[in-house]
Amino acid sequence: MIRRQQVAALQLPSSSHACFYATVNNETEGVCSLYQANVRRLIVSVVFKKMAYSLSPKKAGLPREVLKWLQSLDLSFFPKNVRRDFSNGFLVAEIFSWYFPRDFQMHSFDNGTSLAAKQSNWSQIEKFFVKQNISLFKEMIDGTIHCKPGAAELLVQEIYTILTNRSIQAIQRVEQGFTDKPYQDQLPMVARATASVSIKSNLSLTEVKAEPNIITNQRKVLAIIHRHLEQRKEERVLDPKRFNVKPTLGEQAVRLLAHQHEPNLQMNTSQAAC
């Protein structure tokens, strides 16, 4: 009996029921409208990101004729990531062993990823280059060892032209110094790297270990920062509204043309003659 009385006392009248359901409906409508607004914002952000990153560069690769040539050599493994697989020099030695089997004994090359293995393999390959008068840029070889952008691709193309005496129709152009500047230029300004990220991207740890001189590494870091600042200056010129760049007094001043100055000069010279 007590429980029934308590339940009856808790029951609301019909008017209070109507008010309660009205408030609940208003709250649910508010939640639905807020949910729809969040969904719209999410869709707009996704579309904006797709538009912004539509110009992002494709994965670095090799020309079609070079890939066919590599497949015909029957290598121990086919390079899936050119920058990573050619860095230790093992595949380079294996390629030259097909053309110079007496000079390349593959048991003396290590297919490892350590800096010591890379330096050992490339030192043997460079000795062979000197013996056969094959000229390859030292900067290209160092860029391949340290996985610089575009260095391995350019090296493989040069080896292809040397060994096959064929010219590539569309050879890939690489930025001088093997930096990530072409990649950064294709990105929107919002997504471009900061100074610290550009240092990490353009100065690898193996490069610091191979050249432990502090002064040399400081010069490399200063060159990267200088290039980053120059890129920021170009961005400010291309999009001054984004950086809130205000014109100077000299730019706001009214410029008179040359023919407008000539009458005044003639009048001054005539008065001086009188």
Side-chain angles (χ1 to χ4, degrees), residues 12-27:
L12 298 173
S14 60
S15 60
S16 60
H17 275 291
C19 295
F20 175 74
Y21 287 122
T23 54
V24 171
N25 290 330
N26 292 331
E27 290 179 358

Side-chain angles (χ1 to χ4, degrees), residues 51-98:
M51 292 174 63
Y53 290 94
S54 60
L55 296 176
S56 59
K58 297 180 180 179
K59 188 177 179 181
L62 295 171
R64 185 180 180 85
E65 54 268 27
V66 178
L67 292 175
K68 288 183 178 180
W69 172 66
L70 291 175
Q71 290 176 350
S72 66
L73 295 177
D74 193 16
L75 302 174
S76 58
F77 65 96
F78 190 79
K80 296 181 180 179
N81 189 331
V82 179
R83 190 184 304 178
R84 178 195 63 198
D85 295 336
F86 280 93
S87 62
N88 60 359
F90 182 82
L91 281 180
V92 177
E94 192 172 4
I95 289 171
F96 276 97
S97 66
W98 285 92

